Amino acid sequence: MLTKRVLGSVVLFVLVTVASVSDGARILAIFPAPAKSHQIVFQSLMRGLLERGHSIVMMTPDPFVTDNPNITQINWNYAHKIVEENFDVAKLRQQNCNSLDIAMGLLKVTERFIRAELAHPEVQALIRNANDEHFDVLIVEYFQMTPFFAFAELFNVPMIGVTSIDSISMAHQVIGNVMNVVAHQEMNHKFSSNPNFFQRIEAVVTKIFIDYYLIPREFVKYDRIIEQNFGGNMSKSVELMHRIDFLMTNVDPTMGFIRPIVPQAIQLGFLHVKPPKPLPQELQQYIDGSRHGVIYFSLGTLIRSDSINQKNLKIFVDTFKSLKYDILWKCDSEVDLNGTSNIRISKWFPQQDVLAHPNVKLFVTQGGQQSMEEAVDRQVPMVVIPFNFDQFGNGDKIVERGIGKSIWMENLSTDSLLSAIVEVIGNKKYKRNIERLSKLVRDQPMQPLDKAIWWTEYIIRNKGASHLRYKQARMPAWQYHYYDVVATLLAAALVIVALIAYVVKRLLSYLLLRGPWLAALRVKQKAL
């Protein structure tokens, strides 16, 4: 009898699962950041959801090729040109611009591409015909780009926020994840996980500046964009941020992204990493034939090669040509290679597949999240040259885990780069550490993509996740951190001290002016 009940439960579960897949949900997906490294993460999630039978309308600067009829892609590829013409983080970094100037430049260009993306005719048609459309969930890139969150309110659907890297501190705060600015620094802070006193002061002051000046200032601009595109009845940016039902951050705690998180959030990581594929024949032969092994060098997709100044280009060339190893250099600009025989340059390499080759000894990288994950998965130690944003923190994590070295641009020289490369390749501890870390990352009950899909379908099935919401996340900071309680106790203590001081003062006054001993003293004085 028990066996029949168990069998019946299993059959029911299978039927429900099959039904949920075959029915298929209609998903609106919005990924506005014109950054290919971000988009490959989101593409992986979209492909997985398509395989589950869901229908998707996706807005993106990087549409992907597919013959699946269940996806409609709104092409925002012009957003890349807006960024390229108005923001060059590599140049700013090499000019020693401070983080604030770089952040302000990024915010300006972000507003530009947000306006341009919302102005797309197909997007405007979707907004105008909202009453004729139906979606089951909105999946949106969750930073502070609030105009896109308005689609959740427009279609009255749950909102899943997803990131390709770690979330900004405000996103963690909104859902209630622990965000102590000293323990969990903002991703663009340029100091280690163990800040000194002055760095802690900088972190706190920066956080106050961001929360009470910068974000409110940007939200005023975004609220105007929301009103222009969705009308005056739409909620403001702050409320739209809090409309989130679930947050998926593409970071793995094994890599050092550890913080207390609420049930409304999950950590993924390695979402885009795929099993290696065979290399093109010529490239395979080149790496196979390398006598001492290959170093792979790439600064990612956001750092344009033509933005690297001549001084740093010379450092790279001089360092590489002095090595016995062969170099594969992903570079989309002309570089003078006269006098070199071991450097091969190409505008593109199949990075994941190159790193999977056993003859690749080292990855010299800018420390982007996706590049770091690919290196860990393929067990290739790294030398990181961070430029901005999360790359500094990623460099710290690589050093802390003993899987590579990190060199900041202001410390970059032929000697420093050569020393780091020789150390990481020559010292076998880096290879052993990354092999161990790779095994730890893979040792989990559910693959990241399967985990992301399961939670997406969970939100769809349950029409949101209000039951997982940490309501205390909306408590004012002065209540959450019990500043009012501390202030009251301090005030009470001060009152008690003041009362004691007053009583003591009055008592001393009485004793000095009216005490019996004073009368005896006066009699004695008269006798004298």
Side-chain angles (χ1 to χ4, degrees):
M1 186 68 177
L2 182 60
T3 305
K4 289 183 178 180
R5 286 181 180 176
V6 172
L7 183 60
S9 298
V10 171
V11 171
L12 180 61
F13 172 79
V14 171
L15 289 174
V16 169
T17 304
V18 171
S20 68
V21 174
S22 60
D23 289 345
R26 192 158 190 255
I27 299 169
L28 178 61
I30 305 177
F31 309 120
K36 292 181 180 179
S37 58
H38 291 216
Q39 296 297 327
I40 60 172
V41 174
F42 307 136
Q43 289 174 8
S44 178
L45 177 57
M46 293 300 101
R47 290 181 186 275
L49 290 168
L50 286 172
E51 290 176 5
R52 291 282 292 176
H54 300 295
S55 174
I56 299 173
V57 174
M58 183 172 75
M59 307 176 191
T60 175
D62 292 277
F64 61 88
V65 177
T66 176
D67 56 1
N68 193 309
N70 290 333
I71 185 169
T72 299
Q73 300 185 75
I74 296 176
N75 190 345
W76 283 339
N77 60 1
Y78 51 81
H80 286 289
K81 187 175 182 181
I82 294 173
V83 174
E84 290 171 5
E85 292 178 348
N86 296 280
F87 184 71
D88 191 333
V89 66
K91 283 186 177 179
L92 293 172
R93 182 77 180 95
Q94 292 171 109
Q95 293 166 2
N96 292 322
C97 288
N98 60 50
S99 296
L100 178 59
D101 289 337
I102 294 174
M104 298 299 286
L106 179 61
L107 289 172
K108 286 180 182 178
V109 75
T110 298
E111 182 186 353
R112 288 191 181 187
F113 73 68
I114 286 175
R115 289 184 180 276
E117 288 171 343
L118 284 171
H120 192 289
E122 292 181 57
V123 177
Q124 288 297 309
L126 194 63
I127 294 172
R128 287 194 306 270
N129 302 319
N131 292 332
D132 300 327
E133 295 283 354
H134 167 76
F135 293 100
D136 295 291
V137 70
L138 167 67
I139 302 177
V140 62
E141 188 174 9
Y142 191 75
F143 286 107
Q144 78 276 18
M145 296 177 282
T146 54
F148 300 107
F149 305 166
F151 283 95
E153 188 167 308
L154 180 68
F155 294 110
N156 190 29
V157 293
M159 182 169 79
I160 298 174
V162 61
T163 65
S164 57
I165 55 179
D166 199 3
S167 297
I168 57 173
S169 62
M170 184 180 184
H172 286 295
Q173 287 176 233
V174 162
I175 64 170
N177 287 346
V178 170
M179 182 54 221
N180 181 297
V181 74
V182 173
H184 309 286
Q185 294 135 25
E186 191 68 88
M187 64 176 67
N188 62 344
H189 281 172
K190 294 193 296 178
F191 41 78
S192 70
S193 57
N194 296 305
N196 60 39
F197 177 71
F198 296 103
Q199 290 172 333
R200 295 198 298 273
I201 291 177
E202 179 188 342
V204 172
V205 171
T206 302
K207 179 64 175 168
I208 293 171
F209 173 77
I210 290 173
D211 285 358
Y212 295 98
Y213 172 74
L214 199 59
I215 292 296
R217 173 178 171 269
E218 293 306 305
F219 277 3
V220 169
K221 299 177 184 177
Y222 291 163
D223 287 344
R224 285 198 293 266
I225 296 175
I226 292 167
E227 184 173 354
Q228 291 165 2
N229 287 275
F230 297 92
N233 294 326
M234 187 64 66
S235 295
K236 303 298 184 184
S237 291
V238 171
E239 289 304 315
L240 290 173
M241 283 287 294
H242 283 275
R243 206 184 191 286
I244 186 171
D245 283 87
F246 203 77
L247 176 64
M248 301 178 183
T249 56
N250 189 46
V251 292
D252 191 307
T254 311
M255 298 289 294
F257 297 94
I258 298 173
R259 70 170 74 238
I261 62 174
V262 296
Q264 199 184 357
I266 58 170
Q267 293 175 307
L268 297 169
F270 296 80
L271 197 61
H272 77 292
V273 177
K274 301 289 190 294
K277 300 186 295 294
L279 289 167
Q281 185 177 1
E282 183 186 2
L283 188 57
Q284 179 75 37
Q285 291 173 348
Y286 178 85
I287 302 178
D288 286 343
S290 178
R291 181 180 175 186
H292 299 288
V294 169
I295 294 173
Y296 177 64
F297 176 41
S298 170
L299 295 176
T301 56
L302 286 178
I303 307 300
R304 300 199 297 273
S305 301
D306 57 5
S307 299
I308 305 300
N309 61 36
Q310 290 301 313
K311 173 190 171 185
N312 288 323
L313 280 177
K314 188 175 187 306
I315 289 173
F316 293 137
V317 173
D318 288 348
T319 301
F320 294 149
K321 74 180 183 181
S322 69
L323 294 164
K324 63 181 179 180
Y325 306 100
D326 292 308
I327 313 296
L328 288 178
W329 183 351
K330 177 190 168 294
C331 181
D332 51 18
S333 63
E334 295 294 326
V335 178
D336 184 4
L337 296 180
N338 284 337
T340 67
S341 59
N342 64 331
I343 302 175
R344 175 173 177 173
I345 286 181
S346 176
K347 292 184 178 180
W348 179 83
F349 287 106
Q351 182 165 294
Q352 292 194 40
D353 306 323
V354 167
L355 292 174
H357 196 291
N359 210 21
V360 174
K361 305 297 183 183
L362 179 74
F363 183 16
V364 179
T365 169
Q366 90 288 8
Q369 179 74 26
Q370 283 66 53
S371 291
M372 179 175 66
E373 290 178 346
E374 291 168 11
V376 170
D377 184 81
R378 291 352 188 199
Q379 303 178 1
V380 180
M382 287 165 276
V383 169
V384 177
I385 306 170
F387 277 77
N388 209 35
F389 309 124
D390 63 320
Q391 295 164 12
F392 297 104
N394 291 341
D396 287 342
K397 290 176 175 60
I398 285 166
V399 172
E400 288 165 2
R401 272 143 191 76
I403 60 174
K405 304 283 283 185
S406 179
I407 309 171
W408 287 12
M409 289 296 299
E410 47 264 47
N411 299 323
L412 183 66
S413 66
T414 304
D415 289 340
S416 65
L417 182 56
L418 181 61
S419 174
I421 290 173
V422 171
E423 164 67 15
V424 175
I425 294 180
N427 192 330
K428 299 304 180 184
K429 74 173 185 179
Y430 296 98
K431 183 67 172 179
R432 289 196 301 268
N433 288 340
I434 204 166
E435 288 173 348
R436 179 178 180 274
L437 182 59
S438 180
K439 291 176 182 177
L440 287 174
V441 166
R442 296 175 185 178
D443 191 3
Q444 51 184 309
M446 200 176 204
Q447 291 300 308
L449 181 58
D450 296 332
K451 187 177 181 181
I453 291 172
W454 191 92
W455 277 105
T456 299
E457 294 178 340
Y458 176 91
I459 299 300
I460 293 170
R461 286 195 302 271
N462 295 285
K463 302 185 185 306
S466 59
H467 54 289
L468 298 179
R469 193 177 300 276
Y470 180 57
K471 295 180 181 179
Q472 289 81 355
R474 300 217 66 175
M475 289 176 65
W478 56 271
Q479 285 185 15
Y480 185 83
H481 297 286
Y482 37 84
Y483 296 149
D484 55 339
V485 175
V486 173
T488 301
L489 293 175
L490 286 175
L494 288 173
V495 169
I496 291 171
V497 170
L499 285 172
I500 293 173
Y502 175 77
V503 170
V504 171
K505 181 180 178 183
R506 295 290 294 178
L507 181 60
L508 289 174
S509 177
Y510 172 78
L511 293 175
L512 289 172
L513 299 177
R514 298 179 180 82
W517 62 274
L518 185 58
L521 179 61
R522 287 173 179 170
V523 170
K524 185 176 181 180
Q525 286 176 341
K526 286 180 181 181
L528 293 173

